[in-house]
Amino acid sequence: SINIKFLQTDDFEYIFEISDNGKGFDLDNAEFIEKNKLGSHQGLKNMQRRASILNATFSIESTINSGTKISIRKLRTNSTM
């Protein structure tokens, strides 16, 4: 299953989380995150780039056979979102 959360914290932060209970992967050996060749997987790298453009933090937690959680955190300001 997939869970999607969008939260506003009391300390002026937006948190966007996507998690699943899938097969997960080994972050230490996740070469596809850094590859930039035609045909390689770019989804996570593109999310990381887009979070950076928003001055947000991007994190991935994954455990083999337990799933993955992707989090994007952004401080709220008057001019964002």
Side-chain angles (χ1 to χ4, degrees), residues 1-2 4-5 11-12 16-18 20 22 27 33 38 41-42 44 51 57 59 64-65 75 77-78 81:
S1 68
I2 297 172
I4 299 172
K5 295 180 184 177
D11 35 341
F12 305 103
F16 180 68
E17 291 182 349
I18 303 170
D20 68 24
L27 285 169
I33 293 173
L38 184 62
H41 302 278
Q42 291 293 304
L44 293 174
T57 60
S59 63
I64 295 174
N65 297 321
L75 288 177
T77 64
N78 291 335
M81 300 192 181

Side-chain angles (χ1 to χ4, degrees), residues 62-81:
S62 189
T63 304
I64 295 174
N65 297 321
S66 293
T68 301
K69 180 168 83 171
I70 296 171
S71 299
I72 299 170
R73 294 172 164 276
K74 169 77 175 138
L75 288 177
R76 295 188 323 218
T77 64
N78 291 335
S79 62
T80 60
M81 300 192 181

Side-chain angles (χ1 to χ4, degrees), residues 5-38:
K5 295 180 184 177
F6 184 73
L7 309 165
Q8 264 181 273
T9 68
D10 290 336
D11 35 341
F12 305 103
E13 184 177 38
Y14 291 112
I15 302 171
F16 180 68
E17 291 182 349
I18 303 170
S19 60
D20 68 24
N21 62 348
K23 64 180 185 174
F25 58 92
D26 181 358
L27 285 169
D28 293 330
N29 293 313
E31 296 174 12
F32 64 90
I33 293 173
E34 296 299 328
K35 284 185 182 176
N36 194 14
K37 297 178 184 174
L38 184 62

